[in-house]
Amino acid sequence: MTRTPPGPIEAPVTDRDRTVIYLSILAALFLAALDQTIVATALPQMVEDLQGIDRYAWVATAYLLASTGVALIYGKLADTYSRKMITLGATGLFLVGSVLCGLSGELGDLPLLGDGMTQLVIFRGIQGAGGGGLFAMTFIVIADLFTPAERGKYQGYVGAVFGLASVLGPLVGGLLTDNAGGLIPGVEGWRWVFYVNIPVGAVALWFIVRRMPALEPPGERVLPDLAGGALLLGGLIPLVLSLQLDKRAYPWTSPVTWGLFLFGAALLAAFVRRSRTVASPILDMRLFSDRVFRTANASTFFFGASFMSVTIFLPLYLVNVLGVSATRAGAALIPFSLGIVFSATLAGQIVDRVGYRRQIVLGACLFGVVAVLLARMGTDVPYGLVTLYMVLAGIGVGPGMPLFTLAIQNAVDVRLVGQATSASQFFRQTGATVGAALMGTVLASTLALAFSSMELPPRFAERAGSSVEELVSTGGADLPARIDTVFAELASESGDPAEANALIAQGTQVSERVASEVRQAFSLATSRIYWLTVVLVAIATLLAVRIPELPLRTTHDRASLEPGVVPEGT
């Protein structure tokens, strides 16, 4: 079969304007990336003020559900309507969601929205719908502004933005939560975690309105398949929920978990069938005939899953095994972020000379080696050595962040670049969700087995009023202190000084033994999680090796997708 020669498309803006637009897009992206880390630090204070500890996890789940669910929809909208209008809509929605989150609970219980905590969960969903659009539109607009040959350099800076947000987020979140309460009387400090988005977002909006052209998509416009979009969202929400639900309350064998999973899978299957027949699907299934698109998205799915082993489970290991403070545990992720910043930026700068596949594969191999080292950590590994591991892990992960998207954009028809770009984001986030669920299951099952065999004196169990599993389900690190407290109370109630001293000595002995067993349990669970990470990275690497290395185009090409024509990268 023959391929229609690509025809060049003129660059849509001048060099000066595209620099301003690029910086404005990065500012908006920085807000969305910062929001993922800044909220985590302030969340404990939020749930305390709003009295919603039972819905703690839903604040993050709502954002994840919304941002994942809308990713493909934004891609289709960007292929159909003005990129400028879609970008403005995503930024505006994110800022509206930010304001609403900051106002959660200020007016008391509201009809349909419930109490302050329920309001926060709902408004985080709105914010996530805007944030997911910002992630997708950043890469789509960059694809409009720069040719594939020069695009890697600018997409590399996107990884630097994520790294910077990862470093600043926890720090800024803590500072605002602890110190911003006095800025306006009656406004709690944690609310400024959301309000801080407004001035930066307003500046980004101003530049986008004033300097960005319409960036109309090429090709014929057809109204997007709204019914297909409903099937996509309707399938993703229960599917992601089945993975995200607390597996202690809803284990994998629970009818609720299976019911949500099967219902979501059925709707997604209906979405795929419909997308094969309608005139303007949310995701054009012809993209899957492109080998680059197929293989790169499969690889990024497994990379997304393995990425979660560092961001979620390393702090847990540091607190419960090495006994460091929560602050030092969070600080251990800073070298990881800095490694990503360095390697993502460097990968973008040299991709036009060495290509994308080699860098992705080498980075994956390095990350795989680090995962083996993490899996072999014991209960006495030096904190400084963990820091070194994190630097190396970040260097390994970094190249894939911009280069997977670049490879996909370089291969597909420019008329489908929005859908292709958002699909890359979708598969990465879905992989992260699946990975977090799998690793969470490994953690829970390993700890449950270890804790069930843990022996405690009957007098402690009676006084504590909880099973060992319930006591350690909150983390386990405070269990030895609870044992000391209970035995101290028993000693104070004893009228015999000799018995009191014996009780205190017994408590010390038991707490030291339990502390060692808890550390061993978390060390074993972490080791199993990182061995699973090794498997995931190995699969991602094998897939990355199979990504075709296509020359980076030096023009804004328009490839043909007429019947009988081979798409780019096949």
Side-chain angles (χ1 to χ4, degrees):
M1 291 184 288
T2 60
R3 178 182 294 151
T4 301
I9 301 174
E10 294 296 328
V13 293
T14 64
D15 289 343
R16 183 183 64 181
D17 280 349
R18 72 177 183 171
T19 300
V20 174
I21 296 168
Y22 175 70
L23 294 176
S24 301
I25 287 292
L26 287 188
L29 175 68
F30 177 74
L31 289 179
L34 186 69
D35 192 71
Q36 293 187 336
T37 55
I38 194 174
V39 171
T41 308
L43 191 53
Q45 188 62 50
M46 294 180 194
V47 298
E48 180 179 337
D49 288 348
L50 299 178
Q51 300 180 1
I53 188 65
D54 57 318
R55 286 157 285 173
Y56 184 98
W58 282 98
V59 177
T61 300
Y63 191 97
L64 176 67
L65 278 171
S67 60
T68 303
V70 302
L72 293 176
I73 294 175
Y74 272 108
K76 178 60 180 179
L77 291 175
D79 283 340
T80 308
Y81 303 109
S82 161
R83 319 279 219 239
K84 177 178 181 177
M85 296 307 299
I86 304 303
T87 303
L88 287 173
T91 308
L93 187 60
F94 178 80
L95 293 178
V96 168
S98 297
V99 173
L100 292 175
C101 286
L103 292 174
S104 297
E106 289 279 54
L107 302 178
D109 294 358
L110 297 176
L112 301 179
L113 298 179
D115 62 7
M117 192 64 187
T118 302
Q119 293 170 34
L120 179 62
V121 171
I122 294 172
F123 297 152
R124 278 287 284 171
I126 295 174
Q127 197 184 29
L134 289 176
F135 289 139
M137 294 308 301
T138 296
F139 286 102
I140 294 171
V141 171
I142 289 175
D144 275 333
L145 299 178
F146 306 99
T147 66
E150 58 187 353
R151 195 178 300 161
K153 175 171 60 177
Y154 294 96
Q155 288 184 346
Y157 293 132
V158 172
V161 168
F162 276 100
L164 182 62
S166 298
V167 173
L168 292 180
L171 176 62
V172 174
L175 289 175
L176 290 175
T177 302
D178 293 337
N179 303 302
L183 294 178
I184 298 179
V187 178
E188 295 90 344
W190 63 263
R191 297 185 187 274
W192 289 101
V193 167
F194 300 109
Y195 294 151
V196 75
N197 293 331
I198 299 172
V200 180
V203 171
L205 278 176
W206 187 85
F207 277 108
I208 293 171
V209 170
R210 294 293 302 270
R211 305 299 287 272
M212 181 185 285
L215 296 178
E216 300 288 350
E220 181 183 357
R221 295 190 182 186
V222 182
L223 183 68
D225 178 28
L226 300 180
L231 286 174
L232 175 63
L233 288 175
L236 278 177
I237 290 175
L239 191 67
V240 174
L241 276 177
S242 71
L243 300 174
Q244 288 289 307
L245 285 175
D246 185 348
K247 291 302 177 286
R248 290 191 299 257
Y250 302 97
W252 291 106
T253 55
S254 166
V256 174
T257 301
W258 273 104
L260 287 171
F261 183 86
L262 293 176
F263 180 66
L267 290 182
L268 289 180
F271 164 74
V272 172
R273 287 196 300 270
R274 181 177 177 84
S275 297
R276 294 181 181 277
T277 58
V278 296
S280 184
I282 296 297
L283 179 63
D284 195 319
M285 292 297 152
R286 290 177 296 176
L287 286 168
F288 288 95
S289 65
D290 184 298
R291 185 178 168 191
V292 174
F293 181 87
R294 273 195 323 269
T295 315
N297 277 321
S299 184
T300 198
F301 175 90
F302 288 99
F303 266 117
S306 59
F307 182 84
M308 302 307 293
S309 66
V310 175
T311 57
I312 293 180
F313 297 99
L314 182 74
L316 191 71
Y317 167 84
L318 292 173
V319 170
N320 290 286
V321 178
L322 297 191
V324 306
S325 66
T327 301
R328 291 193 72 196
L333 294 180
I334 294 177
F336 179 63
S337 300
L338 294 178
I340 292 176
V341 170
F342 170 76
S343 60
T345 305
L346 178 63
Q349 298 295 319
I350 64 176
V351 66
D352 58 330
R353 297 191 294 274
V354 302
Y356 49 78
R357 182 176 60 191
R358 185 183 307 172
Q359 295 192 75
I360 292 174
V361 171
L362 289 176
C365 291
L366 176 59
F367 187 36
V369 170
V370 175
V372 172
L373 295 174
L374 292 172
R376 293 172 60 85
M377 291 189 304
T379 58
D380 55 355
V381 61
Y383 181 85
L385 187 58
V386 177
T387 301
L388 175 61
Y389 290 165
M390 288 301 95
V391 173
L392 296 176
I395 293 174
V397 169
M401 296 191 71
L403 297 187
F404 276 119
T405 302
L406 175 64
I408 290 170
Q409 289 178 339
N410 183 62
V412 303
D413 187 304
V414 70
R415 292 169 295 180
L416 302 178
V417 73
Q419 297 175 64
T421 303
S422 60
S424 177
Q425 176 189 338
F426 170 80
F427 283 111
R428 182 183 297 114
Q429 290 185 198
T430 304
T433 303
V434 174
L438 288 175
M439 293 172 189
T441 300
V442 171
L443 176 71
S445 59
T446 303
L447 294 182
L449 183 61
F451 296 152
S452 63
S453 61
M454 190 179 297
E455 296 182 1
L456 292 175
R459 297 180 69 178
F460 169 77
E462 293 172 2
R463 179 62 64 95
S466 302
S467 66
V468 174
E469 291 86 346
E470 292 172 327
L471 288 170
V472 296
S473 66
T474 58
D478 62 340
L479 182 55
R482 292 189 187 190
I483 292 173
D484 286 333
T485 300
V486 168
F487 276 92
E489 291 174 354
L490 291 172
S492 66
E493 296 169 1
S494 174
D496 184 355
E499 182 185 11
N501 290 333
L503 285 170
I504 292 176
Q506 183 185 9
T508 301
Q509 182 182 17
V510 172
S511 65
E512 290 177 352
R513 175 176 58 82
V514 168
S516 177
E517 291 178 358
V518 168
R519 291 175 62 206
Q520 292 289 347
F522 274 96
S523 178
L524 178 60
T526 305
S527 177
R528 290 178 175 177
I529 286 171
Y530 282 113
W531 282 122
L532 173 60
T533 302
V534 172
V535 175
L536 294 173
V537 175
I539 297 173
T541 305
L542 291 175
L543 289 167
V545 170
R546 295 178 57 82
I547 300 174
E549 181 76 61
L550 302 182
L552 296 179
R553 300 194 305 263
T554 57
T555 61
H556 293 271
D557 291 342
R558 187 197 309 275
S560 175
L561 277 182
E562 298 173 357
V565 176
V566 181
E568 293 282 349
T570 302

